[in-house]
Amino acid sequence: MASTLAIDGLDAFYGEVQVLRGFKLDLQQHEVLCLLGRNGAGKTTALKAIMGLVPARAGSIIKDGRDLTKLAPHEVPRTGVAYVPQGRRLFSELTVAENIEIGLMARGKGRTTRESVLDLFPVLRERLSQRSGTLSGGEQQMLAMARALCLEPDVLLLDEPTEGLMPSMIAKIRETVAGLRERGVSTILVEQRVDAVLSLADRVAFIENGQNRETLPVQAVRDDPAFVRRYVGVE
Amino acid sequence: MGFGPYFLLASLEGLVTAAVLTLTALGLSLVFGVMRVVNVAHGEFFMLGAVLAWAISTAFAGHPSIGFAAALLVSPLVVGGVALLAERLVLRRLNYDPEATIVATIGLLYIVQQLALTFYGPDARPVQAPFNIRVTLPWFGYSGYKLAVIAAAIVLVIATWLVLTRTKVGLVMRATQYDRETAQAFGIPVDRVYAGVFALGAMLAAIAAVLVVPIQQAHYLMGRDPLLLSFIVVIIGGLGSLRGTVVAAVLIGLSDGIISVFFSPTLAKMLATLLVALVLVFRPQGLFGAATR
Ligand SMILES: Nc1ncnc2c1ncn2[C@@H]1O[C@H](COP(=O)(O)OP(=O)(O)OP(=O)(O)O)[C@@H](O)[C@H]1O
Ligand SMILES: [Mg+2]
């Protein structure tokens, strides 16, 4: 299979503190690749580094023959990478419609995109003029996903989209991710719930201490719980 | 003149002060709101606008309205250019660090001030009003130009509000204000937004200054009061709140005018400062500001 995003030898720092050390990751077309690892392992930092929000001091992130580490942060989303940050990070003072508008502006998408995204999350349609900070947690997560999908991305980065949500919402988010794979989107999903990982992922990358220790097909992880125990410490 | 007309006159004077103050404070508030930069040199952009207005308007012969119109157009553009340069050369290099930029803009204040002293000199110089109409009210005549200043400020505030709330540029500015990092993740070139906002803030001060020079002469130290009053307004109104800035500017301007006429300008400044102290103690986020999370 062809790779959509290839990260190699990536070093990233917060100030002088090194967080990613020779980080490698290879996202293939039409797959859901899950990052698993303990708190502070560097999962969020890896996604931020892809977005250019944490500068790379060494290494490369190749997408469609271009090295994203050479781009300014605001140019990364224009290459078709969309980001749903941990904790959602909506523009909470802005309305639902305005959040969506910002997603559309990122790659100059218009009404057709907007309508198809709103069809995915019909509740948002009823709340367009509501301030997004006043939405429920689940609605906020849907808006964060909707805002990202307005880019019509071919690579989607999802950082703990089910954190703190009710089971019904978690199901909805999972269903959406699975649906996106059918539509050809490649997804990097950071997820703490092992059951969700096992049901959604095509492959799993185990992150520890700022490194990708190993990437395995999901079947191998299902077959041998020792992997999860070793890198996450739970079963 | 009876109390009523006297009060009306004082209120009109207060509204003129409020008009100029609103525009100046709006610039400071925008820069702080979007960039989190406290621009101590904001008053110098105001002064520069006034001094340039004198230079430009005296360069034109003929009717004063020609020189004034040229000043109203060119002076804000030049001041915006200076601000852009300062943003590129200073603020960006400091990565917009809130504390470092305070120190840097203090430095900028003295540089601009000394340049004005060197090239413009220590004198206060008047600029002729573009027109000389007196509006006759039943009790007294009032300067038509001053009324025009009030009208111009109202138009500019509404225009700014429309840009911020109804246009894509405004949406981009607000998104940057609320979350710089996420804005970048959605393709917003934050450093260009910052440059634009800093220039816009300076231009608002410059426009206010051009409007004021036919009333108050241009002088190289004239940036001090507008800076102080703008800070007062921004603190009372709530940092980064457009509505709060406007309400507080009208409140401060109007009370300044009225108290100055009936009592003394010093008392007006004292009360304004006292109000700031009270706001800082009892409602630190300002009257309209959201509490910081
Ligand atoms: N803004 C920051 N400044 C300095 N250090 C940071 C910053 N953000 C994260 N770190 C540190 O970088 C390391 C990796 O953090 P990161 O957020 O990538 O972990 P994570 O795997 O996403 O954890 P979690 O599961 O808790 O979300 C941690 O040690 C963290 O303390
Ligand atoms: Mg994280």
Side-chain angles (χ1 to χ4, degrees):
Chain A
M1 268 210 288
S3 76
T4 303
L5 194 76
I7 306 177
D8 199 21
L10 194 68
D11 288 347
F13 294 71
Y14 286 111
E16 288 310 307
V17 183
Q18 183 165 11
V19 177
L20 297 184
R21 302 157 212 275
F23 190 87
K24 279 192 212 317
L25 197 72
D26 187 34
L27 177 67
Q28 315 218 304
Q29 266 174 21
H30 309 181
E31 77 165 338
V32 176
L33 175 57
C34 278
L35 306 190
L36 260 182
R38 290 196 174 83
N39 292 116
K43 305 175 301 287
T44 296
T45 309
L47 299 193
K48 282 192 180 179
I50 296 171
M51 295 310 296
L53 300 174
V54 177
R57 286 220 198 145
S60 59
I61 304 170
I62 307 294
K63 177 175 191 295
D64 304 325
R66 294 171 85 184
D67 187 350
L68 302 187
T69 64
K70 304 278 187 289
L71 301 182
H74 72 269
E75 291 170 327
V76 174
R78 294 179 192 169
T79 67
V81 185
Y83 181 38
V84 180
Q86 187 166 12
R88 311 186 251 280
R89 300 281 289 267
L90 293 174
F91 299 106
S92 54
E93 307 288 321
L94 303 185
T95 63
V96 170
E98 286 171 329
N99 273 277
I100 286 178
E101 178 68 23
I102 285 168
L104 292 170
M105 272 157 51
R107 290 184 86 198
K109 300 295 178 189
R111 173 177 283 157
T112 6
T113 310
R114 182 188 148 104
E115 291 311 307
S116 71
V117 166
L118 288 174
D119 287 343
L120 270 180
F121 305 104
V123 274
L124 296 178
R125 208 188 280 282
E126 297 152 26
R127 308 230 185 285
L128 284 173
S129 55
Q130 192 172 327
R131 217 166 56 80
S132 62
T134 63
L135 294 176
S136 76
E139 289 163 348
Q140 289 193 16
Q141 189 62 52
M142 286 189 221
L143 178 55
M145 301 258 296
R147 183 178 63 175
L149 292 177
C150 283
L151 279 75
E152 293 193 7
D154 44 12
V155 171
L156 182 64
L157 312 181
L158 287 173
D159 199 344
E160 305 207 16
T162 62
E163 199 178 22
L165 296 189
M166 303 187 314
S168 63
M169 285 296 174
I170 295 177
K172 167 77 185 166
I173 303 285
R174 277 197 205 179
E175 184 191 307
T176 311
V177 174
L180 289 171
R181 171 171 44 199
E182 300 313 309
R183 298 206 293 174
V185 177
S186 316
T187 303
I188 299 180
L189 172 65
V190 176
E191 180 58 77
Q192 301 270 16
R193 286 164 214 276
V194 176
D195 62 325
V197 171
L198 294 181
S199 70
L200 262 179
D202 296 301
R203 291 188 304 149
V204 181
F206 291 99
I207 314 299
E208 191 176 65
N209 199 16
Q211 290 178 317
N212 178 3
R213 296 292 191 198
E214 51 197 320
T215 310
L216 296 168
V218 70
Q219 194 55 48
V221 183
R222 278 195 205 112
D223 292 345
D224 188 354
F227 286 113
V228 171
R229 208 177 306 133
R230 174 153 156 226
Y231 290 108
V232 193
V234 289
E235 265 170 89
Chain B
M1 199 154 56
F3 175 79
Y6 202 46
F7 188 78
L8 178 65
L9 178 64
S11 304
L12 282 172
E13 288 296 303
L15 277 177
V16 176
T17 309
V20 176
L21 181 56
T22 305
L23 293 179
T24 314
L26 201 56
L28 190 73
S29 174
L30 268 180
V31 168
F32 180 81
V34 177
M35 305 170 68
R36 301 281 131 175
V37 164
V38 175
N39 179 19
V40 183
H42 192 64
E44 303 318 303
F45 289 144
F46 180 90
M47 178 275 288
L48 200 58
V51 165
L52 285 169
W54 176 83
I56 294 163
S57 62
T58 48
F60 283 84
H63 196 270
S65 64
I66 302 169
F68 184 84
L72 195 54
L73 198 73
V74 178
S75 169
L77 285 177
V78 176
V79 172
V82 171
L84 218 51
L85 209 65
E87 199 273 346
R88 282 289 105 120
L89 295 180
V90 184
L91 301 184
R92 177 182 290 200
R93 276 160 207 252
L94 298 172
N95 202 20
Y96 311 100
D97 176 79
E99 280 146 32
T101 48
I102 291 182
V103 179
T105 53
I106 292 175
L108 188 62
L109 179 158
Y110 285 111
I111 293 171
V112 176
Q113 207 172 75
Q114 291 307 307
L115 284 174
L117 178 61
T118 307
F119 293 102
Y120 174 82
D123 305 327
R125 300 175 214 206
V127 170
Q128 268 195 294
F131 51 84
N132 229 328
I133 301 164
R134 282 197 86 72
V135 177
T136 345
L137 301 175
W139 318 276
F140 54 83
Y142 196 70
S143 156
Y145 178 72
K146 286 185 177 178
L147 294 175
V149 168
I150 297 171
I154 292 172
V155 169
L156 281 167
V157 167
I158 292 174
T160 308
W161 181 77
L162 285 176
V163 167
L164 279 173
T165 56
R166 299 288 155 87
T167 67
K168 283 193 176 180
V169 173
L171 183 58
V172 162
M173 280 167 59
R174 286 183 292 145
T176 306
Q177 163 167 3
Y178 298 134
D179 191 336
R180 172 185 175 174
E181 190 178 75
T182 307
Q184 283 184 319
F186 284 88
I188 295 176
V190 163
D191 50 356
R192 259 177 267 164
V193 175
Y194 278 13
V197 165
F198 198 67
L200 180 65
M203 286 168 79
L204 282 168
I207 293 172
V210 178
L211 292 176
V212 93
V213 275
I215 303 170
Q216 180 197 331
Q217 304 189 350
H219 185 257
Y220 83 106
L221 290 177
M222 74 188 295
R224 277 185 196 168
D225 273 3
L227 180 70
L228 179 68
L229 285 173
S230 294
F231 270 118
I232 288 177
V233 161
V234 169
I235 291 169
I236 293 176
L239 295 165
S241 157
L242 178 71
R243 195 163 46 128
T245 301
V246 174
V247 172
V250 173
L251 194 77
I252 294 291
L254 211 52
S255 62
D256 189 89
I258 294 170
I259 296 167
S260 298
V261 167
F262 283 100
F263 302 98
S264 84
T266 315
L267 181 66
K269 299 275 182 306
M270 279 167 62
L271 288 177
T273 318
L274 183 68
L275 184 58
V276 167
L278 289 176
V279 165
L280 283 176
V281 171
F282 294 106
R283 205 178 150 79
Q285 73 272 33
L287 298 181
F288 291 86
T292 43
R293 282 144 292 180

